[in-house]
Amino acid sequence: MTALTLSTSSAATARADAVVVGVAKGAKSVVPAPGAEAVDEAFGGKLAAVLETLGATGAEGEVTKLPAAGGLKAPVVIAVGLGAAPAKGDAYDNETLRRAAGSAARALTGTKKAGFALPLEDAEAAAAVAEGALLGAYAFTAYRTNGAKKSAKGAKAAKGGDSASAPLAEIALIGGKPRDKEFKAAAERAQALAAEINRARDLINMAPNDLNPKSFAAEAQAAAKEFGLKIEVLDEKALKKGGYGGLIGVGQGADAPPRLVRLAYTHPKAAKTLALVGKGITYDSGGISLKPAGHNETMKCDMSGAAAVFATVTCAARLGLEVNVTGWLALAENMPSGNAVRPGDVLTMYSGKTVEVLNTDAEGRLVLADALTRASEESPDAIVDVATLTGAMVLALGNRTFGIMANDEAFRTTIHEISEEVGEQSWPMPMPAELRKGMDSTVADIANMGERMGGGLVAGLFLKEFVGEGITWAHLDIAGPAFHEGAPFGYTHKGGTGSAVRTLVRLAERTASGDLG
């Protein structure tokens, strides 16, 4: 994990391999952002002119490297674009700072230490810069052997590669006020949050031949021991005995059997309990309803919801939040075989409801249904499930925005506001009652498929059937942003993103404080 410090040095005197400053688009030219004053002075007040000569425009995420001028301890200056300069008296948006810091950190791969002299107007801005830099300074190296003969196994797989590809090792927040309680708390929270988001990223990026339901459960057991969490793991025998027809049905076609993991953080002063349920399909072939060619290559990411839930519970423990957070990881591998569930089969779920399986590639809702029913038995104050559930949600909202559905409009609005606050794009989605009829089955209580149009909404309506009476519930469909296949941007790398962790952690914090709007 990259180290983070709050530095009292100026950008000119910071002892580092590079110093990062912000630049913005002004009315007529590039404008150095607050924090860059000492660097601009070292360039004789001509930093903007030098950057423009090098082609810098101040556009968001644009990174320009240049040799440092005399008077600077650091040998390299990294100028990162912040986009349009805010109006006089206004501050830069926190997500703009977060992404700028992430872009700079990615550009500093192979560097030991960098000083970040981005605008730090208050502790919130410091938190944003710290989060962005720590998330940008990430690399998944488990399978990088650099030519050496090594084997990768589990989350602690061989660490290969070389120093040139290693992430930035140390971040110093210049102007970070190390003696200020708010700044110190912001830095500590950013470190805990980034560590857990990167835990989720590591799990998502892991090869499916190493991460299966059993090994995922083992990761949770190791974390439970480290952070003093309570854990219960139901194996295939316990699941069958308990009547978890959704988990057993989805997992019966795979050699690696399913698991249901209950991971719980409790606080002695907690007045509220938040239950989180995560879809954990460690690999999704589609089962008998096999996915077409070109749609299987990234299906190791179908456990991103469970990874987000896992990371949120451990983050709550790291932060010592005064709230009980229980995570349910519904883990299975969806594979075709002679023993796999078939279209037309009827499963008896943990709730007792029967489900006609019309499409085995609509498996996530089946494992979530069992976990939602089990979580409801504990009567939490709210349940939130997280899942890479439907391609329909990606068609509706694109690759960077997750959908939110809920049985309580105020709760849905709160989660949307929280996600926007922490820099995760989301959008509230409806649950049209008329779509429920499409899941009527002639042989069972409900079918796992309904109308094709509005498929993401249909999936939400299916899940709603398995939430306990009177329990506030929300569903986050993170199918779009969970796994990034395009070019890196900001603090987002290719591969697993850790989507929804920031939203869930802030939800836990708001629940602890009683501030849910």
Side-chain angles (χ1 to χ4, degrees):
M1 182 70 185
T2 300
L4 175 71
T5 58
L6 299 174
S7 175
T8 56
S9 300
S10 73
T13 61
R15 295 185 178 277
D17 299 297
V19 62
V20 177
V21 297
V23 292
K25 285 183 173 182
K28 296 182 179 180
S29 62
V30 171
V31 179
E37 294 87 354
V39 174
D40 188 32
E41 184 179 341
F43 278 86
K46 297 182 178 180
L47 176 61
V50 173
L51 289 169
E52 287 186 337
T53 300
L54 295 173
T57 66
E60 279 196 32
E62 178 186 75
V63 174
T64 306
K65 295 183 180 182
L66 63 159
L72 296 177
K73 293 289 185 182
V76 176
V77 173
I78 303 289
V80 59
L82 299 169
K88 190 174 181 179
D90 291 343
Y92 285 93
D93 175 80
N94 285 337
E95 179 62 7
T96 297
L97 295 176
R98 197 177 283 115
R99 291 188 182 186
S103 294
R106 286 192 298 103
L108 288 163
T109 295
T111 305
K112 290 185 178 180
K113 182 177 180 179
F116 281 68
L118 293 172
L120 297 187
E121 183 171 294
D122 53 25
E124 283 191 16
V129 172
E131 287 174 22
L134 289 168
L135 294 175
Y138 168 80
F140 181 68
T141 60
Y143 300 100
R144 299 290 185 187
T145 63
N146 201 28
K149 188 177 181 181
K150 297 179 181 179
S151 62
K153 190 71 176 175
K156 295 180 176 64
K159 293 182 179 179
D162 52 35
S163 59
S165 62
L168 173 62
E170 184 178 349
I171 295 160
L173 289 191
I174 295 171
K177 300 180 183 180
R179 295 182 182 180
D180 184 291
K181 289 183 179 180
E182 290 187 359
F183 276 80
K184 187 177 179 180
E188 290 174 352
R189 180 186 183 279
Q191 285 178 297
L193 183 61
E196 293 310 318
I197 291 173
N198 287 340
R199 180 199 297 276
R201 287 169 160 181
D202 282 347
L203 288 167
I204 298 164
N205 288 329
M206 198 177 299
N209 58 317
D210 283 328
L211 189 72
N212 57 42
K214 183 179 179 180
S215 61
F216 197 138
E219 292 292 330
Q221 288 171 320
K225 184 176 181 181
E226 181 180 359
F227 296 107
L229 307 172
K230 294 180 181 179
I231 189 167
E232 178 186 7
V233 179
L234 299 184
D235 62 14
E236 66 273 27
K237 291 181 181 178
L239 291 172
K240 189 171 183 179
K241 183 178 180 180
Y244 293 85
L247 277 156
I248 289 294
V250 172
Q252 70 189 39
D255 289 337
R259 296 285 186 271
L260 178 62
V261 177
R262 179 186 185 273
L263 188 66
Y265 160 74
T266 58
H267 193 284
K269 296 182 180 180
K272 299 284 187 179
T273 296
L274 180 63
L276 307 175
V277 177
K279 174 186 173 183
I281 303 299
T282 56
Y283 183 76
D284 182 19
S285 70
I288 296 297
S289 305
L290 195 67
K291 292 180 183 292
H295 290 74
N296 282 310
E297 290 77 3
T298 62
M299 282 300 102
K300 65 180 183 179
C301 81
D302 213 17
M303 36 59 66
S304 295
V309 167
F310 179 12
T312 300
V313 177
T314 49
C315 192
R318 281 178 181 262
L319 297 175
L321 302 182
E322 290 188 16
V323 60
N324 298 326
V325 183
T326 303
W328 298 88
L329 315 181
L331 308 174
E333 190 175 63
N334 187 25
M335 297 292 286
S337 75
N339 196 45
V341 67
R342 297 152 294 208
D345 283 356
V346 175
L347 305 177
T348 301
M349 311 297 282
Y350 179 70
S351 68
K353 287 180 187 259
T354 55
V355 176
E356 181 183 12
V357 179
L358 298 180
N359 188 324
T360 65
D361 196 23
E363 84 299 330
R365 64 199 71 182
L366 298 175
V367 301
L368 286 174
D370 277 351
L372 284 167
T373 302
R374 180 66 184 85
S376 296
E377 289 181 342
E378 298 185 357
S379 301
D381 293 284
I383 298 176
V384 179
D385 77 71
V386 193
T388 48
L389 204 60
T390 64
M393 195 61 66
V394 186
L395 290 173
L397 299 178
N399 291 316
R400 297 189 185 183
T401 303
F402 62 77
I404 309 170
M405 285 170 265
N407 62 3
D408 182 286
E409 188 173 341
F411 191 50
R412 183 187 67 180
T413 298
T414 294
I415 293 177
H416 179 228
E417 290 172 349
I418 286 173
S419 72
E420 295 294 310
E421 175 191 339
V422 300
E424 293 196 300
Q425 295 172 214
S426 70
W427 196 251
M429 302 294 284
M431 300 187 75
E434 66 272 15
L435 291 178
R436 169 61 182 84
K437 185 172 179 58
M439 291 184 284
D440 286 348
S441 167
T442 58
V443 297
D445 296 327
I446 190 172
N448 77 330
M449 291 292 287
E451 293 183 30
R452 179 170 175 267
M453 299 303 174
L457 312 182
V458 169
L461 286 165
F462 180 91
L463 296 178
K464 183 182 177 184
E465 298 269 332
F466 297 88
V467 178
E469 190 72 28
I471 298 176
T472 300
W473 159 79
H475 160 58
L476 311 186
D477 191 334
I478 62 171
F483 196 85
H484 181 60
E485 295 185 74
F489 67 95
Y491 49 80
T492 301
H493 297 257
K494 293 192 73 166
T497 65
S499 176
V501 175
R502 280 181 284 162
T503 297
L504 295 176
V505 170
R506 183 56 58 86
L507 177 64
E509 290 172 328
R510 292 269 293 268
T511 303
S513 67
D515 179 27
L516 283 177

